[in-house]
Amino acid sequence: MHRLVTDGRIHPARIEEVVAKTKKQIEEEIVEIGERTVIDLGINGLHPELIRMVGRMRYRSSYGRNLLQHSREVANFCATMAAELGLNVKLAKRAGLLHDIGKVPDDNPELPHAILGMQLAEKYKEHPEVCNAIGAHHDEVEMTSMLSPIIQVCDAISGARPGARR
């Protein structure tokens, strides 16, 4: 709207042009945010569609909290806890970042986000431990690895710490 009013040319063709251009810019920004996030966290080999979904987390909130900030925090907590326990830090960080990826898609709203996230991770060929950790972080599926309770605990810590929620 701002671009149209500033330009002064408000007619159907111009509106469609500005909307298309703005959608393209937002999509590019989403991909850039996703790429920057995985680089910052040192996560390699993530499927481009999952990177895009990580970027979309920036525009989602859960309990009044930005979903991307929450997921980054969980990823860092998971890495620390996995290191202390002598587990795979890279997998823990990956699972922590992706644990709420099921909150991003607009389709399948009847599925719990943990199950949807697990299905997405499986679709994009994530490690089975990561998939299980995503699906099990709200006890929707049975935990099959040591990574799963770490994700569940770190998610709870991030959500329950002072200042995390409104």
Side-chain angles (χ1 to χ4, degrees):
M1 292 301 289
H2 178 70
R3 287 183 183 169
L4 289 168
V5 171
T6 303
D7 187 27
R9 297 180 291 164
I10 302 175
H11 53 82
R14 179 71 179 141
I15 292 170
E16 289 176 12
E17 176 187 326
V18 170
V19 167
K21 186 184 284 187
T22 304
K23 278 184 180 179
K24 185 176 184 249
Q25 287 175 336
I26 290 172
E27 190 59 36
E28 288 170 358
E29 184 179 325
I30 285 170
V31 171
E32 182 183 324
I33 290 166
E35 288 172 347
R36 197 171 340 119
T37 299
V38 297
I39 288 169
D40 288 350
L41 292 172
I43 295 173
N44 300 315
L46 202 61
H47 191 279
E49 187 58 28
L50 288 176
I51 291 173
R52 192 177 73 73
M53 288 182 185
V54 167
R56 287 184 72 194
M57 285 179 166
R58 170 95 187 284
Y59 300 101
R60 297 281 196 272
S61 64
S62 181
Y63 297 102
R65 181 151 187 231
N66 183 278
L67 191 58
L68 182 58
Q69 288 177 340
H70 166 67
S71 294
R72 286 179 69 121
E73 184 174 74
V74 171
N76 287 321
F77 286 165
C78 290
T80 302
M81 194 173 284
E84 289 292 322
L85 295 171
L87 300 172
N88 188 326
V89 173
K90 290 183 185 253
L91 275 184
K93 193 180 282 190
R94 191 177 195 102
L97 177 65
L98 297 175
H99 83 281
D100 274 345
I101 202 78
K103 290 182 177 180
V104 175
D106 295 324
D107 54 344
N108 292 330
E110 69 278 349
L111 282 177
H113 77 274
I115 299 296
L116 182 56
M118 181 178 72
Q119 290 173 352
L120 286 167
E122 289 169 345
K123 176 181 176 182
Y124 295 113
K125 307 208 181 339
E126 281 297 314
H127 192 281
E129 285 187 52
V130 171
C131 295
N132 180 257
I134 293 169
H137 83 274
H138 287 303
D139 294 323
E140 251 87 33
V141 298
E142 184 181 345
M143 295 182 184
T144 59
S145 78
M146 287 301 297
L147 199 58
S148 299
I150 290 174
I151 305 309
Q152 186 177 52
V153 167
C154 292
D155 182 39
I157 290 169
S158 176
R161 71 168 177 74
R165 296 181 179 177
R166 287 185 191 160

